[in-house]
Amino acid sequence: MNRAFSRKKDKTWIHSPEALTKHFIPYNVKIPNFPGIPKFLGNAEVEQPKGTEIVKDAVRKLKFARHIKKSEGQKTPKVELQISIYGVKILEAKTKENLHNCQLHRISFCADDKTDKKIFTFICKDAESNKHMCYVFDSEKCAEEITLTIGQAFDLAYKKFLETGGKDVETRKQIASLQKRIQELETENIELKKKVQELEIKVNVTKDPTSPRVMAPPSPSTDLFDMVPFSPASPLLPIPSSNGTELPPLPIRSSETKRDIFGAEPFDPFISVGGDFPPDIQSKLDEMQEGFKMGLTLEGTVFSLDPLDSKC
């Protein structure tokens, strides 16, 4: 598909772009006895990522299974949907337990039933199994609105991906990973300093305090390992150690490029290019690119369900 999404009828989006990019649109139990609360009929594996007949069969199976459970006294679970440019979260309505988290670039088909206006569904590729799963919901008043909201979120996410190339999200992941590594190194540095102090105390304790002290000519003070403390102002000259051997001269550092204590150049997120990403992040970007290229088919379909399936 050349377009990010396709619809049978061109409709105006119902939410502001900021609501979906900076926050999310909730469909939940805010109003008591509100008839539009989504009910989750379940999900089922399908063979294709899109198609009216594919969805029709999945809906029929899930509605029949729900009819059996209802005859056994089980109620259809109510859920909360949170829709944003990052995906569709399915939460348990009361406990807010996260049941499913469907990334938006994995959703390939979304439709509402024009015959039974309570039913809407979407197909999403599972992240772990790579199987196409069809999610089916029942909402008395909001089925069409939720379908359009998913379509709008996909449209905005696709435009954002084209503008940034996905680097803004992945760069934040890199920065967070580097910050975590810096904290770990700082913690290790503190622990090493403590160990050095403990060793110095032990060495001082083992010395005989009654033994006469011989005054030696003044020489540069050294640490526990006969190393001269580093000073930026110190000349880079060979200094004899306590055992009489001469230490090799320190390498001259270039002042043009600043490096950290490990010799690595500082990380600059604004000069990152596609080749700079690690393989795992690059594969994630490729997956997002492939998902958005597939596009989202957004349409109102006619399922022609049997009367037996019309009540959940």
Side-chain angles (χ1 to χ4, degrees):
M1 293 179 60
N2 295 326
R3 300 177 59 189
F5 59 93
S6 64
R7 291 173 291 168
K8 287 186 175 180
K9 294 182 180 180
D10 189 16
K11 295 185 178 182
T12 305
W13 298 131
I14 56 181
H15 300 289
S16 64
E18 292 76 14
L20 287 164
T21 55
K22 297 181 179 180
H23 305 283
F24 59 85
I25 303 298
Y27 292 91
N28 52 23
V29 203
K30 285 188 176 181
I31 304 176
N33 301 322
F34 179 60
I37 300 171
K39 295 180 181 179
F40 186 36
L41 275 64
N43 58 351
E45 181 183 354
V46 292
E47 297 180 355
Q48 300 295 330
K50 57 186 63 181
T52 302
E53 291 300 321
I54 297 295
V55 169
K56 174 182 174 181
D57 292 339
V59 172
R60 188 185 299 277
K61 292 178 182 178
L62 290 172
K63 287 180 74 75
F64 181 76
R66 182 54 56 185
H67 181 79
I68 297 296
K69 292 181 179 181
K70 187 175 181 180
S71 65
E72 296 174 352
Q74 298 184 23
K75 295 183 179 180
T76 305
K78 296 180 180 180
V79 295
E80 173 181 338
L81 297 181
Q82 295 180 356
I83 304 173
S84 69
I85 62 171
Y86 302 106
V88 178
K89 287 186 177 181
I90 305 172
L91 309 176
E92 206 281 328
K94 293 184 178 180
T95 64
K96 305 302 179 183
E97 177 186 357
N98 192 353
L99 303 177
H100 300 279
N101 188 7
C102 302
Q103 296 176 324
L104 209 65
H105 68 275
R106 291 178 171 271
I107 299 178
S108 55
F109 188 85
C110 186
D112 57 283
D113 183 4
K114 296 307 178 185
T115 303
D116 185 356
K117 295 186 177 182
K118 299 186 300 181
I119 300 298
F120 68 96
T121 179
F122 63 83
I123 298 177
C124 180
K125 189 177 182 181
D126 185 74
E128 297 182 358
S129 64
N130 284 330
K131 296 179 179 179
H132 297 287
M133 305 298 295
C134 182
Y135 295 79
V136 180
F137 303 85
D138 181 315
S139 179
E140 188 172 342
K141 297 293 184 181
C142 299
E144 182 178 6
E145 178 181 335
I146 294 173
T147 302
L148 287 175
T149 301
I150 294 176
Q152 182 182 5
F154 191 95
D155 185 35
L156 293 171
Y158 182 63
K159 290 178 180 178
K160 183 177 179 64
F161 183 82
L162 291 179
E163 292 172 357
T164 63
K167 294 179 182 178
D168 57 340
V169 177
E170 304 306 328
T171 299
R172 285 198 295 270
K173 290 182 180 179
Q174 277 193 322
I175 293 175
S177 177
L178 290 172
Q179 289 175 342
K180 182 179 179 181
R181 181 57 181 159
I182 290 173
Q183 291 177 354
E184 292 175 352
L185 292 174
E186 289 178 348
T187 303
E188 292 178 4
N189 188 30
I190 294 174
E191 294 296 328
L192 289 174
K193 285 183 178 179
K194 289 181 179 180
K195 291 182 179 180
V196 170
Q197 291 176 357
E198 292 174 358
L199 289 174
E200 290 178 345
I201 293 175
K202 289 181 180 180
V203 170
N204 292 332
V205 170
T206 55
K207 290 182 180 179
D208 187 3
T210 60
S211 61
R213 297 183 179 182
V214 179
M215 298 299 294
S219 60
S221 59
T222 60
D223 60 10
L224 179 63
F225 306 101
D226 289 335
M227 298 295 292
V228 178
F230 174 75
S231 173
S234 301
L236 301 177
L237 298 177
I239 301 173
S241 63
S242 59
N243 58 7
T245 60
E246 192 174 272
L247 297 175
L250 296 174
I252 300 176
R253 293 174 177 262
S254 174
S255 59
E256 296 180 358
T257 304
K258 295 183 178 179
R259 298 175 179 270
D260 59 16
I261 60 175
F262 303 99
E265 296 184 7
F267 173 72
D268 188 352
F270 299 101
I271 61 174
S272 297
V273 294
D276 295 335
F277 293 125
D280 56 339
I281 293 181
Q282 187 61 46
S283 64
K284 183 68 174 178
L285 290 175
D286 295 339
E287 178 191 345
M288 293 176 66
Q289 183 70 36
E290 180 182 356
F292 283 123
K293 280 184 178 179
M294 180 182 292
L296 172 68
T297 300
L298 179 66
E299 60 184 31
T301 63
V302 179
F303 299 129
S304 300
L305 298 176
D306 296 335
L308 177 64
D309 300 331
S310 62
K311 296 182 179 180
C312 294

